Amino acid sequence: MDEAINTFMSTLGRAAASATSRCAMAGVPVGAPSGDAGDALAASFATSYSGVVAFMTVVAEGSFAKAGDRLGIGRSAVSRSVQKLESQLGVRLIRRTTRSLSLTNEGQLFHAHCKPGVESITRALEGVRELREGPPRGLLRVCSDVGFGRQVVAPLLKDFRAAYPDVAIELMLDDGPIDFASDNVDIAFRNGRMEDSQIIAKLLFPMQMLVCASPEYAVRHGLPRSIGELARHRCVNFRFASGRVREWEFKVDGQRLKAAPRGALTFNDADLVLAAVLEGQGIAQLAGYQIRELLGDGRLVACLAPHAPDDSGHYLCYLSRRHLPSRIRVFIDHMTPAIRALGLHRVDERMAT
């Protein structure tokens, strides 16, 4: 492909990206014989694509010179692209004179067949552009850990929907790992430590994990005064969707320490773990957002606060900062301050001794 065609194709790429009615028409592959090998099809497509765009623009503008101006290339480049398309099809599409041009019968038929496809592609490009730059609309798929999603995310969706009624929300609660691509997830709320460099993880607030018990349990069995005393207590554990039981984490002399106390009860639902603790069936390490109000009104007591880990967080995660549709941008901008305003990370030290 000569330099002029290379320039032409480069210009087409820029024009298609703008996707407005004033930009170069996008084309479709024409004339590639069925059954060709892949390399032959690729070569056919390159010629057809540039030729169709040039042809459709010439018809729309009424001249090769005006078509070149719209496409940002020279008149001769437009002419060569149309000539290559005619050679590929084996028919003349345009009658050319020094003063005018007109379509042949074959040209009229080809234009009539191409026009709906070109208009469809143009609408598709404009639609995608509108999703990014226009008013927020469309479906937003959000995933969250079960406990955090139920207690924190879901109650805030009402205000978001009131502000952006054209955005539909699908909230999925899942404690398992998330694959943004295969699960078609736009936004994920995740707890713990974010170690995937391919994910943008926006810290909402630090994650506090405190060992808690009901006052009745504390009176009957006492509370552990050290990590080593956990083995003497009835512990309630949480099991991930993967089947792994969550370890209890602590900070000792600035170092992270993990413990795996034997569970008197084990659940795969954080709310059931909390319910068992409230009923006095045992102690558990619970997230601060779950227990803040319960500590405040005396329904729970906490212990081992000096050893609570401080290197985890609650995060809002997405794949890229670039090319975000407006529905994703406004969701991030709305939910981030709304969640932080709840003050869920502030647990009064007097509640946790």
Side-chain angles (χ1 to χ4, degrees):
M1 186 176 291
D2 60 28
E3 182 178 354
I5 295 299
N6 279 326
T7 302
F8 181 78
M9 293 300 290
S10 176
T11 303
L12 289 179
R14 293 193 299 270
S18 65
T20 65
S21 60
R22 298 287 300 169
C23 74
M25 291 289 188
V28 294
V30 177
S34 62
D36 278 359
D39 54 349
L41 179 61
S44 173
F45 176 82
T47 302
S48 299
Y49 180 77
S50 60
V52 169
V53 175
F55 169 75
M56 297 297 289
T57 308
V58 168
V59 175
E61 293 297 320
S63 77
F64 284 86
K66 290 180 179 179
D69 290 340
R70 170 169 287 195
L71 294 174
I73 59 176
R75 179 188 182 281
S76 61
V78 177
S79 179
R80 284 195 296 271
S81 293
V82 173
Q83 288 173 3
K84 286 189 176 184
L85 177 64
E86 289 177 327
S87 296
Q88 185 182 33
L89 295 175
V91 297
R92 181 174 292 277
L93 300 174
I94 299 176
R95 298 187 188 93
R96 307 166 181 82
T97 68
T98 55
R99 294 185 179 181
S100 66
L101 60 84
S102 62
L103 293 179
T104 65
N105 289 337
E106 292 81 3
Q108 293 176 9
L109 180 63
F110 186 70
H111 181 270
H113 281 297
C114 285
K115 187 176 180 180
V118 170
E119 291 175 345
S120 178
I121 291 173
T122 301
R123 286 194 300 270
L125 292 170
E126 291 174 346
V128 170
R129 182 171 179 266
E130 183 181 346
L131 284 177
R132 184 176 186 274
E133 301 178 0
R137 62 183 177 87
L139 175 64
L140 189 65
R141 289 174 59 88
V142 181
C143 186
S144 174
D145 298 88
V146 176
F148 192 82
R150 182 178 291 139
Q151 187 168 335
V152 180
V153 179
L156 296 176
L157 295 182
K158 179 180 179 181
D159 288 343
F160 176 81
R161 290 275 299 122
Y164 303 100
D166 293 330
V167 179
I169 302 290
E170 182 176 341
L171 176 61
M172 299 165 287
L173 303 183
D174 192 339
D175 289 317
I178 294 300
D179 186 317
F180 279 82
S182 63
D183 295 329
N184 291 323
V185 172
D186 297 306
I187 297 285
F189 292 92
R190 278 294 172 257
N191 306 324
R193 301 174 188 85
M194 297 295 106
E195 299 175 352
D196 189 341
S197 60
Q198 295 182 334
I199 293 176
I200 307 300
K202 188 170 188 177
L203 178 64
L204 297 172
F205 58 91
M207 182 177 180
Q208 289 180 302
M209 297 295 293
L210 292 170
V211 177
C212 297
S214 68
E216 293 77 14
Y217 180 95
V219 169
R220 293 169 57 190
H221 305 283
L223 295 174
R225 292 169 296 179
S226 68
I227 298 171
E229 291 185 8
L230 289 175
R232 297 195 296 103
H233 286 267
R234 301 174 182 176
C235 296
V236 183
N237 285 329
F238 174 83
R239 186 182 298 277
F240 291 106
S242 64
R244 181 174 63 88
V245 174
R246 181 171 62 194
E247 296 173 305
W248 297 25
E249 296 190 357
F250 301 95
K251 181 182 66 176
V252 178
D253 297 329
Q255 300 297 316
R256 189 190 310 168
L257 176 67
K258 293 184 178 182
R262 185 165 57 90
L265 287 170
T266 301
F267 299 100
N268 66 349
D269 184 283
D271 287 343
L272 293 179
V273 174
L274 174 60
V277 174
L278 286 169
E279 292 171 357
Q281 298 188 60
I283 64 174
Q285 190 174 52
L286 300 167
Y289 76 87
Q290 285 183 287
I291 59 175
R292 183 173 179 270
E293 294 184 1
L294 298 172
L295 290 173
D297 62 21
R299 284 185 286 169
L300 285 180
V301 293
C303 60
L304 302 178
H307 298 302
D310 57 4
D311 60 346
S312 296
H314 298 279
Y315 295 88
L316 185 154
C317 304
Y318 51 102
L319 278 182
S320 174
R321 291 188 175 93
R322 299 183 60 192
H323 309 310
L324 283 178
S326 58
R327 67 183 184 279
I328 297 180
R329 293 201 307 271
V330 297
F331 186 82
I332 294 172
D333 293 342
H334 179 94
M335 296 296 284
T336 299
I339 291 175
R340 288 174 177 170
L342 297 176
L344 298 174
H345 63 289
R346 294 192 293 270
V347 176
D348 194 326
E349 292 183 356
R350 291 173 298 178
M351 304 175 188
T353 58

